[in-house]
Amino acid sequence: MLAGASDPENHPAEETPSEQTGKLDPHYPKVCGHRGNVLDIKWNPFNDFEIASCSEDTTIKIWAIPKQLLLRNLTTYRKELVGHARRVGLVEWHPTAANILFSSGYDYKVMVWNLDTKESVIMSPVRTIDCHRDVILSMSFNTNGSLMATSCKDRKIRILDPRTGTVLQEGNCKGHRVNKVLFLGNLQKLLSTGTSRWNHRQMALWDQDNLSQPISEEDLDGSSGVLFPFYDADTNVLYVVGKGDGNIRYYEVSTSEPYLSYLTEYRSYNPQKGIGVMPKRGLDVSSCEIFRFYKLITTKCLIEPVSMIVPRRSESYQEDIYPPTAGAQPSMTAQEWLSGMNKGPVLVSLRPGSEPLSPQPPPSPRPPPVERPNSNPLPLASPRLLSQTEKVAGEDAQRPSSLLEEKMPRWATDHRLEKKAWLTNGFDIFECPPPKTENELLQMFYRQQEEIRRLRELVTQREVQAKQLELEIKNLRMGTERF
């Protein structure tokens, strides 16, 4: 999802297999066709061989990438969308409906396109949303695509009905100049990044049903680069990447205060000019990878992969850190969505060889994580940042100050009785890894102290019961001797 142009005439977007590393040939095949700078590109979430790109030439083009990848420069586009009067800055695919594309331009308009037609050139969108008074800076959808949030240069956040263009909520950011806005899954909240009135980079959390004022605000630093937020709804982790920075911050998101808990950050001396992410189904589950960035480093002409990996010693599939996630199959057609239908994403398991779990899952919100008592908590772990090129932890990355709670898989409750003999204070002695950090060691120590206290109470109760039985036996013997 990196946008840009390296050739002053053709402004191409390059393609290469993810397994291929090393320096590319300067004449490596490219995607060429726009007459101006390419401002944004997005992969189709339901087709790994289709790209949408928008440009300063006021057009949007849809490209079909050959399955054998590029053998020569690709200049023939599959579709061209012509409707904006000025340059087009953003494109977004609908998260659950097939062949629905959104675009926003410097004409202050958002256009909804139906690509499910035979026409190669589409001259008019199915809907034009004309409620913004300045340039649209970002667009984001909720899980089932029934709501769209936009941030605008007029310092307002809007929540729209993407089918009708009706403004459902509008927030005026007086002390928070917003750049990017993002739906946080099914938590009914929005996150925005921008700058404060003192020009400090800032994050703000909003209730999607009330945009009158933010729930919380947090100043980060005094740098000037734009902050790009990425949210992983499966692990409730928010990643914040700054343009021109060398670090990547990440936070744990919860439904109660303080809402955002700082974990740690990845640090590098190489600043990123752009950033892209790998879809969940492209991760390496065998190494417990939960997120992967592709970092554009222009000073070295390099794209560097950076992986978030949960430290686990077991090489088996870790179902607790890979809950069902959105797959590559749309849940409805373009016509169904345009007619008013809403459906959640088709969920799939990341276990190798698994099938889609439900063809049409209900769009019900995911319940918040259940807080467990301190007397017998589940094992805790936190994602640690590893570079895929080195596969080792960054030496300059500090340890997490807050830990992510792991979720217990459904199969664990079914087999709990069978494995009861293996469990010690709620832990599987064959699967639970030993503590690796001071925090984990302290938590293990407190759990053992709690277990010792419980066992002592149990021994005391047994001793009392034994004395009572001894007294009853003496009384029975004395009664028998009298008779």
Side-chain angles (χ1 to χ4, degrees), residues 307-344:
S307 295
M308 297 291 184
I309 294 179
V310 177
R312 294 284 179 88
R313 290 193 175 183
S314 175
E315 296 182 358
S316 60
Y317 178 73
Q318 305 293 315
E319 190 170 354
D320 54 345
I321 61 174
Y322 295 114
T325 189
Q329 178 182 348
S331 57
M332 54 186 164
T333 64
Q335 291 300 328
E336 288 175 338
W337 182 78
L338 291 172
S339 64
M341 187 179 298
N342 291 322
K343 290 184 181 179

Side-chain angles (χ1 to χ4, degrees), residues 118-380:
K118 295 182 179 179
E119 301 175 0
S120 60
V121 178
I122 303 176
M123 302 297 295
S124 59
V126 295
R127 172 69 60 184
T128 299
I129 301 174
D130 191 10
C131 63
H132 300 85
R133 298 295 172 262
D134 211 323
V135 177
I136 298 102
L137 301 176
S138 68
M139 298 185 290
S140 177
F141 292 92
N142 63 344
T143 304
N144 63 3
S146 60
L147 298 175
M148 180 177 69
T150 63
S151 61
C152 186
K153 206 170 181 180
D154 61 5
R155 299 193 179 187
K156 290 185 178 180
I157 294 177
R158 296 174 176 87
I159 296 180
L160 314 170
D161 183 336
R163 273 182 287 256
T164 64
T166 305
V167 179
L168 305 178
Q169 292 282 336
E170 184 175 282
N172 192 356
C173 311
K174 296 180 181 179
H176 174 71
R177 187 164 62 248
V178 62
N179 286 321
K180 303 294 180 182
V181 66
L182 179 69
F183 269 102
L184 296 180
N186 285 324
L187 299 182
Q188 311 298 316
K189 289 179 176 58
L190 293 171
L191 180 105
S192 64
T193 61
T195 55
S196 67
R197 63 183 63 186
W198 296 281
N199 287 329
H200 289 168
R201 292 199 297 189
Q202 188 180 61
M203 294 191 305
L205 195 66
W206 307 79
D207 183 352
Q208 73 177 40
D209 297 323
N210 182 11
L211 298 181
S212 58
Q213 60 181 4
I215 300 174
S216 65
E217 293 180 341
E218 180 177 347
D219 289 350
L220 298 182
D221 52 41
S223 300
S224 58
V226 177
L227 294 173
F228 294 89
F230 300 90
Y231 179 63
D232 182 5
D234 298 337
T235 57
N236 294 328
V237 177
L238 171 71
Y239 304 93
V240 181
V241 184
K243 185 176 181 179
D245 297 353
N247 61 337
I248 300 175
R249 300 178 177 91
Y250 47 106
Y251 300 78
E252 180 184 1
V253 182
S254 61
T255 56
S256 57
E257 292 184 355
Y259 301 112
L260 296 176
S261 301
Y262 174 76
L263 294 176
T264 184
E265 65 183 50
Y266 163 77
R267 297 178 182 177
S268 172
Y269 293 107
N270 299 318
Q272 59 257 1
K273 186 176 182 180
I275 200 81
V277 297
M278 169 67 74
K280 272 303 191 71
R281 51 195 171 83
L283 300 180
D284 182 10
V285 297
S286 63
S287 63
C288 298
E289 183 184 30
I290 60 172
F291 217 76
R292 187 192 304 168
F293 291 99
Y294 286 94
K295 176 179 172 180
L296 176 61
I297 306 173
T298 55
T299 56
K300 293 187 176 182
C301 298
L302 176 69
I303 295 178
E304 178 187 15
V306 179
S307 295
M308 297 291 184
I309 294 179
V310 177
R312 294 284 179 88
R313 290 193 175 183
S314 175
E315 296 182 358
S316 60
Y317 178 73
Q318 305 293 315
E319 190 170 354
D320 54 345
I321 61 174
Y322 295 114
T325 189
Q329 178 182 348
S331 57
M332 54 186 164
T333 64
Q335 291 300 328
E336 288 175 338
W337 182 78
L338 291 172
S339 64
M341 187 179 298
N342 291 322
K343 290 184 181 179
V346 177
L347 301 181
V348 297
S349 172
L350 295 182
R351 182 187 294 274
S354 60
E355 298 293 333
L357 301 179
S358 55
Q360 295 179 357
S364 58
R366 188 167 62 90
V370 179
E371 295 185 359
R372 298 175 174 85
N374 293 329
S375 60
N376 189 22
L378 291 176
L380 300 178

Side-chain angles (χ1 to χ4, degrees), residues 52 56 62-63 89 168 192 197 204 247 283 360 382 401 435 460 478:
E56 289 182 347
I62 311 299
W63 306 89
L168 305 178
S192 64
R197 63 183 63 186
N247 61 337
L283 300 180
Q360 295 179 357
S382 61
S401 59
T460 303
M478 292 175 60

Side-chain angles (χ1 to χ4, degrees), residues 98-116:
N99 295 317
I100 294 292
L101 184 70
F102 291 76
S103 64
S104 69
Y106 282 68
D107 52 5
Y108 311 158
K109 295 179 181 179
V110 176
M111 295 187 178
V112 187
W113 305 89
N114 179 12
L115 307 183
D116 194 12

